[in-house]
Amino acid sequence: MVSMDHVAHKILTYIPYVLVLIDLRYEGVKCGRDGSVDNHMEMGKKLLAAGQLADALSHFHAAVDGDPKNYMAFYRRATVFLAMGKSKSALPDLSKVIELKPDFTSARLQRGNLLLKQGKLDEAESDFKKVLKSNPSAKEENEAQSQLTKSDEIQRLVAQARSSFNSQDYVTAAAQLDAIIDTCVWDVASREMRAECFIQMGEMGKAISDLKATSKLKSDNTQAFYKLSTIYYNLGDHEMSLNEVRECLKLDPDHKQCYSHYKQVKKLNKQIQSAEELMQEQRYEEAVSKYEAVMKTEPNVHHFSLFAKERICHALAQSQEASRAIQVCSEVLQSDPENINVLKDRAEAYIQEEEYEEAIKDYETAAKHSENDRQIKEGLEKAQRLLKQSQKRDYYKILGVKRTAQKKEIIRAYRKLAQQWHPDNFQDPEEKKKAEKKFIDIAQAKEVLTDPEMRTKFDHGEDPMDPESQQGHHHHHNFHGGFQGFQGFNPFGSGPFNFKFNFN
């Protein structure tokens, strides 16, 4: 609903013309044999004054129908149209008034103002000049002179803007067009040229705004809808692209550019929809294939490739294919490092891979860009909890023995694992590093579980190899020197355990 304040503001804008109406109420009204035109005019005037525009309009329609030569009926109807913001409808009524009464200065001045807003500068100037020659009131003379001067300035700006545009100086052209459009708000040609400047400048939001305005200002503007559709498409918004291209085809079903573009967007739209349906049904592998098809359908628009990879990353994380998920999510984050959904999905995949520190980093980055996200908060807490757990080593689990295992079983399990994980067995630097860590864990597990005192402590929830859990104990084993401490050690010797330890 239009607010009363808005209506009141509109009416106040046109008060000078309403006053003219009241002054001229005695002219051209006494027509119609039964006085019904008079009644409609009187009722219309009262309703207009009360801000009831739609009701006023119906009375002025009736007055025009009752007496098509009554220029005041046309003038009043034009005033209502203007108060309703329907300038397109007001223009023919004002022209009719001028045709019926060529010396009606007020109508001509108003028509000149509307033509100026539409960017029809020559026609507007003609009206302003005629007003100046028709013995106007001082107020009308001032307004006509001022508008004529403004129109001259705009004529110069239009020539400059065209020149800048043709020289491909789009920034200057856009600034000149801004000044033109400030006055010529309904000028389709200026808005279309400015939209093209914005496209060339990469300011797509502003281009969309201008093109939407031109599609409303010009009733059969298929080109505006085609441009809007291609802009949305290149921004990766397939749904808006489809909406706009359909509008073009409604106006002209045989429009070649629009039809060809429509087929492409429709195909892509269908693939994305069916991929999302597969996601809903948790058929993740099929969804991945469908999104790979999306990338083949549109390999040239970066936004679609990125979106497809984002959804593939999600599907892989959901289907526990962690290493593939991490790879695809990382590709997306290279282009879009603050993508919350992808950060959450990669964090989840890191958790599946037991890379808790990496998961924590991703959740913390996501939290910076999305406060109060419950999923991020819960994910971060889970990753922190799992990290803490993982740092508390379970020596029985490391050696793969039961908590009730005898010393002989522990030594047998230890020798088998030490042979398997000896770093000399690995050439690849990453694998060697992983083996070193594992080898140290195996050695520590054997050290703890073959020492009765240390084993008892461990069974009571204390890690004898972790200084932090040794509260109040004066000397504890502090494992020292990393893998270097193992050099020269033969894990299959039966002699005393010859790892190097420090005693504090």
Side-chain angles (χ1 to χ4, degrees):
M1 289 295 288
V2 178
S3 74
M4 282 308 290
D5 286 352
H6 181 66
V7 171
H9 175 71
K10 283 275 190 189
I11 292 169
L12 283 171
T13 311
Y14 296 104
I15 281 280
Y17 307 112
V18 177
L19 294 175
V20 171
L21 293 177
I22 294 162
D23 290 344
L24 294 159
R25 66 184 181 277
Y26 56 86
E27 288 203 57
V29 172
K30 302 287 181 213
C31 307
R33 274 161 293 177
D34 56 359
S36 67
V37 172
D38 290 14
N39 292 340
H40 284 304
M41 293 292 279
E42 200 56 42
M43 280 303 294
K45 193 172 73 176
K46 282 178 182 167
L47 291 162
L48 175 59
Q52 290 170 262
L53 302 179
D55 294 336
L57 188 61
S58 58
H59 280 288
F60 292 136
H61 281 324
V64 165
D65 293 343
D67 182 5
K69 291 270 192 303
N70 185 336
Y71 72 87
M72 280 308 298
F74 283 105
Y75 186 69
R76 288 201 176 153
R77 188 167 72 176
T79 305
V80 178
F81 279 138
L82 288 169
M84 293 170 97
K86 295 183 177 180
S87 56
K88 265 188 198 169
S89 306
L91 203 55
D93 274 2
L94 290 170
S95 294
K96 189 71 182 170
V97 174
I98 293 162
E99 180 196 315
L100 292 167
K101 190 169 174 55
D103 63 344
F104 194 169
T105 317
S106 185
R108 198 179 285 282
L109 189 54
Q110 251 188 299
R111 186 176 72 174
N113 288 336
L114 291 184
L115 291 166
L116 182 60
K117 283 185 177 178
Q118 288 183 345
K120 294 178 179 171
L121 303 176
D122 294 339
E123 293 172 55
E125 285 184 15
S126 164
D127 271 345
F128 297 140
K129 283 172 182 168
K130 280 180 183 162
V131 167
L132 291 172
K133 285 179 188 165
S134 66
N135 194 24
S137 69
K139 185 175 178 300
E140 286 169 343
E141 185 177 2
N142 285 342
E143 188 178 345
Q145 190 56 62
S146 144
Q147 294 293 71
L148 191 58
T149 307
K150 191 181 279 185
S151 185
D152 277 345
E153 283 168 21
I154 289 167
Q155 292 271 28
R156 273 196 301 280
L157 272 171
V158 168
Q160 288 168 3
R162 282 195 190 126
S163 167
S164 302
F165 184 83
N166 293 335
S167 313
Q168 299 182 359
D169 181 357
Y170 300 113
V171 176
T172 306
Q176 288 158 339
L177 289 160
D178 286 348
I180 295 164
I181 293 164
D182 273 348
T183 299
C184 308
V185 283
W186 304 322
D187 179 8
V188 173
S190 291
R191 280 188 187 271
E192 283 177 341
M193 192 187 287
R194 189 170 69 173
E196 193 53 44
C197 290
F198 287 142
I199 290 169
Q200 297 296 333
M201 290 156 69
E203 297 200 32
M204 297 306 171
K206 290 180 179 179
I208 286 169
S209 177
D210 267 344
L211 288 166
K212 287 207 167 191
T214 67
S215 72
K216 290 186 178 78
L217 290 166
K218 188 174 162 189
S219 50
D220 58 346
N221 200 345
T222 51
Q223 206 53 30
F225 287 118
Y226 173 67
K227 276 192 178 174
L228 279 166
S229 182
T230 55
I231 288 173
Y232 280 124
Y233 186 80
N234 289 322
L235 291 173
D237 191 336
H238 54 99
E239 286 171 345
M240 285 301 289
S241 181
L242 195 58
N243 290 347
E244 299 296 346
V245 81
R246 279 181 174 145
E247 290 301 321
C248 171
L249 291 171
K250 275 184 205 167
L251 293 171
D252 178 6
D254 300 321
H255 194 289
K256 276 188 182 168
Q257 282 177 307
C258 284
Y259 185 64
S260 158
H261 186 60
Y262 169 74
K263 282 194 294 185
Q264 170 72 359
V265 185
K266 184 99 172 93
K267 181 182 178 184
L268 197 70
N269 205 49
K270 203 171 177 185
Q271 285 179 329
I272 291 171
Q273 275 180 343
S274 59
E276 285 304 310
E277 281 163 19
L278 290 165
M279 287 277 213
Q280 294 293 317
E281 292 162 19
Q282 299 184 356
R283 291 157 65 187
Y284 296 117
E285 202 51 53
E286 291 166 79
V288 167
S289 302
K290 190 60 82 173
Y291 269 119
E292 282 166 350
V294 166
M295 291 195 278
K296 286 195 184 87
T297 300
E298 186 41 86
N300 302 319
V301 176
H302 179 61
H303 289 282
F304 286 120
S305 307
L306 209 58
F307 173 67
K309 282 182 183 175
E310 176 180 332
R311 300 306 285 149
I312 289 169
C313 148
H314 180 68
L316 292 170
Q318 290 297 309
S319 59
Q320 309 279 309
E321 290 190 57
S323 61
R324 269 179 80 196
I326 291 166
Q327 185 190 341
V328 178
C329 297
S330 300
E331 284 174 27
V332 178
L333 290 166
Q334 277 180 340
S335 297
D336 186 8
E338 293 172 12
N339 188 317
I340 308 297
N341 293 329
V342 178
L343 285 164
K344 288 196 282 194
D345 286 328
R346 189 171 72 173
E348 184 52 45
Y350 276 135
I351 286 176
Q352 291 163 22
E353 288 284 270
E354 298 182 10
E355 293 185 41
Y356 306 121
E357 282 164 344
E358 293 301 323
I360 288 167
K361 274 185 213 165
D362 275 355
Y363 278 128
E364 284 174 343
T365 306
K368 279 179 204 160
H369 303 294
S370 177
E371 290 173 31
N372 307 322
D373 183 317
R374 193 175 52 81
Q375 240 184 340
I376 294 172
K377 189 170 175 287
E378 287 173 4
L380 181 58
E381 284 169 3
K382 177 184 172 185
Q384 286 166 335
R385 195 168 60 246
L386 288 168
L387 176 64
K388 214 168 188 181
Q389 271 178 22
S390 73
Q391 287 164 340
K392 288 180 180 171
R393 285 161 300 182
D394 181 340
Y395 296 120
Y396 292 105
K397 202 172 174 183
I398 289 168
L399 294 180
V401 295
K402 291 180 178 172
R403 293 187 91 82
T404 52
Q406 301 293 311
K407 190 172 178 178
K408 272 183 192 173
E409 283 177 69
I410 290 165
I411 290 169
R412 192 164 55 240
Y414 159 71
R415 284 180 176 166
K416 188 181 172 190
L417 288 168
Q419 184 179 25
Q420 184 186 338
W421 287 100
H422 198 289
D424 290 351
N425 298 335
F426 299 90
Q427 302 309 313
D428 178 74
E430 277 300 306
E431 286 183 10
K432 197 184 246 324
K433 196 173 164 189
K434 196 173 175 183
E436 284 179 10
K437 185 179 183 305
K438 195 96 174 169
F439 194 73
I440 290 170
D441 285 346
I442 292 160
Q444 287 186 323
K446 188 251 187 193
E447 170 77 348
V448 170
L449 298 182
T450 53
D451 179 309
E453 190 190 336
M454 287 165 77
R455 185 171 176 178
T456 305
K457 279 182 181 176
F458 181 70
D459 288 345
H460 285 94
E462 204 177 288
D463 184 350
M465 291 292 182
D466 177 11
E468 284 180 24
S469 70
Q470 300 281 317
Q471 285 148 8
H473 297 286
H474 291 293
H475 69 273
H476 51 263
H477 293 72
N478 180 15
F479 198 76
H480 175 73
F483 180 65
Q484 274 17 74
F486 296 95
Q487 299 307 317
F489 164 62
N490 171 13
F492 312 108
S494 56
F497 198 87
N498 60 349
F499 287 88
K500 295 179 187 168
F501 289 91
N502 282 356
F503 292 91
N504 298 336

